[in-house]
């Protein structure tokens, strides 16, 4: 099922940029199996490239405490499945998010987040590879997030990879989810890099959700990251030794802007919540036999569609994304004017929905 992990792109936005309304389709409250999205911290208004890089790291790290509840009857995205939502921020600015399963063998999910009025966009893809080990599973999260600060075109892209995921208790016992291994954040235009380690808890020592990292410009260390992504993270200036809080998930993690999603009956058949509605209901009722039937029904339909394509020679063409030079990009040319961009993105993602009045231009 798309929309959980990926919609973190919209999840961490705007405490630094303060200045993520209803429309005719009505407001959608987050369902019980998901969390609303955090609002945090990404700004393009800092003159110092180092500070902008740290703010991008801050955005990235601020979203990981919003992790999905563990379920033992997993959703496996099917080819052509998509999830879309909108964020309405308190200052009347908006953001949009779309994720689509663009490949099934191997599985690839492409995603795109944009908030034109806040001058930020994120595009990327996820290529998970899972390995089952008895009562545990490890998932290698190949892929990357490419962040663009639209108000700072001279920065180019901020590219961030993702940590791997580990789950214990998938068959029996309490399910525990952890992030592990090293991911990389970089901005090549300014020679800025961060090696960020997500630490898993050892059997006899250690703590859950610990992180450690170094921020470098060229070959010089300029900062050191430490803490726990589920609690408090700090950064220490290498030269001065001064520390500051990067993100406090306990204090600020509840500053949320919920997603707006079309009511299920108005969604398309291959839209995530509608596609998996029977499975979601069975899981919520703790009826695993019914959940198995619902999951099998979706997967059998997917196999039948694949068989028909093979017989006819048809090739699946993704609806929202296209592959360009090895990267999955949205099939949309975003206007430079923020107000025009809001209208264009709204019409592209939600073509049949009446848009809300945009934020007035200052």
């Amino acid at each position: 099922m798309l929309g959980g992990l990926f919609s973190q792109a919209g999840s961490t936005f705007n405490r630094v940029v303060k200045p993520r309304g209803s429309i005719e389709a009505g407001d959608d409250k987050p369902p019980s199996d998901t969390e609303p999205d955090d609002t945090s911290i990404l700004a393009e208004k800092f003159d110092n490239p180092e500070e902008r890089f740290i703010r991008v790291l801050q955005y990235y790290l601020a979203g990981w405490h919003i992790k999905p509840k563990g379920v033992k009857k997993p959703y496996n995205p099917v080819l052509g499945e998509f999830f879309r939502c909108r964020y309405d921020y308190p200052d009347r600015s908006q953001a949009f998010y779309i994720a689509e399963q663009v490949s099934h063998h191997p599985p690839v999910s492409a995603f795109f987040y944009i908030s034109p009025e806040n001058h930020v966009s994120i595009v990327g893809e996820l290529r998970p590879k899972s390995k089952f080990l008895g009562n545990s599973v490890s998932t290698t999260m190949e892929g990357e997030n490419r962040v663009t600060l639209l108000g700072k075109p001279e920065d180019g892209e901020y590219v961030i990879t993702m940590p791997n995921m580990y789950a214990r208790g998938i068959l029996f016992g309490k399910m525990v989810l952890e992030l592990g291994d090293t991911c990389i954040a970089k901005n090549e235009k300014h020679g800025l890099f961060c090696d960020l380690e997500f630490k898993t808890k050892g059997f006899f020592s250690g703590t859950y959700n610990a992180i450690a990292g170094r921020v470098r410009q060229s070959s010089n260390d300029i900062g050191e990251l430490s803490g726990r992504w589920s609690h408090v993270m700090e950064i220490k200036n290498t030269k001065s030794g001064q520390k500051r809080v990067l993100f406090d998930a306990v204090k600020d993690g509840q500053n949320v802007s919920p997603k707006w999603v079309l009511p299920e009956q108005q969604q398309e058949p291959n839209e995530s919540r509608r596609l998996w509605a029977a499975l979601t209901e069975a899981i919520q009722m703790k009826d695993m036999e019914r959940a198995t039937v619902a999951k099998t029904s979706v997967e059998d339909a997917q196999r039948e569609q694949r068989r028909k394509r093979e017989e006819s020679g048809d090739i699946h063409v993704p609806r929202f994304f296209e592959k360009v030079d090895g990267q999955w990009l949205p099939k949309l040319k975003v206007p430079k004017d923020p107000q025009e961009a809001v209208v264009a993105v709204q019409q592209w993602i939600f073509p049949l929905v009446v848009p809300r009045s945009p934020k007035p231009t200052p």
Side-chain angles (χ1 to χ4, degrees):
M1 186 175 184
L2 303 175
L5 171 67
F6 312 122
S7 57
Q8 287 185 80
S11 67
T12 58
F13 201 67
N14 89 30
R15 230 171 63 240
V16 170
V17 184
K18 280 195 178 180
R20 276 177 172 240
S22 63
I23 62 177
E24 282 191 2
D27 292 322
D28 176 62
K29 295 181 179 179
S32 59
D33 65 326
T34 64
E35 295 295 329
D37 283 311
D38 180 30
T39 57
S40 171
I41 322 146
L42 190 55
E44 80 292 342
K45 299 177 183 181
F46 295 92
D47 292 330
N48 186 336
E50 294 178 13
E51 183 63 23
R52 291 199 297 275
F53 184 76
I54 290 171
R55 294 292 176 169
V56 171
L57 287 176
Q58 191 178 21
Y59 137 77
Y60 175 75
L61 291 170
W64 287 109
H65 73 283
I66 314 169
K67 58 183 181 180
K69 295 181 180 180
V71 294
K72 300 188 180 184
K73 185 63 64 175
Y75 300 87
N76 295 321
V78 299
L79 187 64
E81 176 185 344
F82 70 93
F83 175 84
R84 55 185 173 176
C85 68
R86 191 191 70 210
Y87 301 91
D88 296 321
Y89 296 125
D91 67 345
R92 292 191 60 80
S93 64
Q94 294 178 301
F96 302 89
Y97 175 81
I98 179 73
E100 181 180 10
Q101 191 72 4
V102 294
S103 173
H104 189 65
H105 292 296
V108 180
S109 301
F111 54 91
F112 175 57
Y113 164 92
I114 187 167
S115 182
E117 296 151 309
N118 292 302
H119 311 294
V120 61
S121 74
I122 303 132
V123 65
E125 60 275 333
L126 179 66
R127 302 184 297 274
K129 296 182 178 179
S130 296
K131 181 184 295 184
F132 292 87
L133 304 167
N135 195 36
S136 302
V137 62
S138 65
T139 302
T140 302
M141 306 291 279
E142 296 182 358
E144 61 186 17
N145 300 270
R146 299 183 291 275
V147 182
T148 300
L149 302 180
L150 303 175
K152 292 289 182 180
E154 66 272 20
D155 283 6
E157 290 183 332
Y158 296 81
V159 179
I160 313 174
T161 62
M162 286 169 271
N164 298 325
M165 291 190 171
Y166 299 89
R168 297 193 300 272
I170 62 171
L171 299 177
F172 54 85
K174 181 180 179 181
M175 179 177 282
V176 177
L177 300 175
E178 289 191 90
L179 303 176
D181 307 316
T182 299
C183 65
I184 307 295
K186 61 183 179 180
N187 178 259
E188 293 184 343
K189 285 290 185 72
H190 296 296
L192 290 157
F193 303 88
C194 179
D195 303 304
L196 186 62
E197 181 185 4
F198 288 77
K199 300 181 178 182
T200 57
K201 185 181 183 300
F203 284 106
F204 305 107
S205 63
T207 185
Y208 284 113
N209 307 335
I211 64 162
R214 294 186 309 136
V215 180
R216 295 174 287 117
Q217 186 161 36
S218 299
S219 58
N220 301 315
D221 284 4
I222 60 174
E224 182 178 338
L225 294 166
S226 62
R228 297 170 66 191
W229 54 262
S230 57
H231 291 73
V232 179
M233 293 169 283
E234 295 181 322
I235 185 167
K236 181 175 75 173
N237 185 292
T238 302
K239 288 184 179 180
S240 67
Q242 183 178 359
K243 284 187 176 182
R244 60 169 162 154
V245 173
L246 198 65
F247 185 69
D248 186 336
V250 177
K251 178 182 176 183
D252 299 319
Q254 300 306 310
N255 296 331
V256 299
S257 287
K259 307 175 185 71
W260 178 89
V261 182
L262 278 171
E264 190 177 294
Q265 66 273 19
Q266 296 182 28
Q267 295 181 16
E268 297 184 25
N270 59 331
E271 205 158 343
S272 289
R273 290 189 181 178
R274 181 174 174 182
L275 179 68
W276 296 101
L279 175 57
T280 299
E281 183 179 356
I283 290 173
Q284 291 173 342
M285 296 177 65
K286 296 182 170 56
D287 188 337
M288 290 301 103
E289 182 176 348
R290 182 179 165 191
T292 299
V293 171
K295 183 173 185 288
T296 301
S297 176
V298 173
E299 293 173 345
D300 285 348
Q302 165 83 357
R303 295 186 188 97
E304 178 62 17
Q305 290 173 8
R306 184 168 65 246
R307 184 188 66 79
K308 290 181 178 179
R309 284 196 304 272
E310 291 173 351
E311 287 181 353
S312 64
D314 291 340
I315 297 175
H316 174 77
V317 178
R319 173 176 169 181
F320 294 99
F321 295 87
E322 60 185 347
K323 201 170 188 179
V324 180
D325 296 330
Q327 296 180 339
W328 287 98
L329 302 177
K331 295 180 180 180
L332 175 70
K333 185 175 181 180
V334 180
K336 291 185 179 180
D337 178 78
Q339 299 302 322
E340 293 178 4
V342 168
V343 174
V345 174
Q346 165 89 29
Q347 292 177 345
W348 179 60
I349 296 180
F350 294 105
L352 302 179
V353 176
V354 177
R356 192 194 71 176
S357 298
K359 175 184 175 182
T361 302

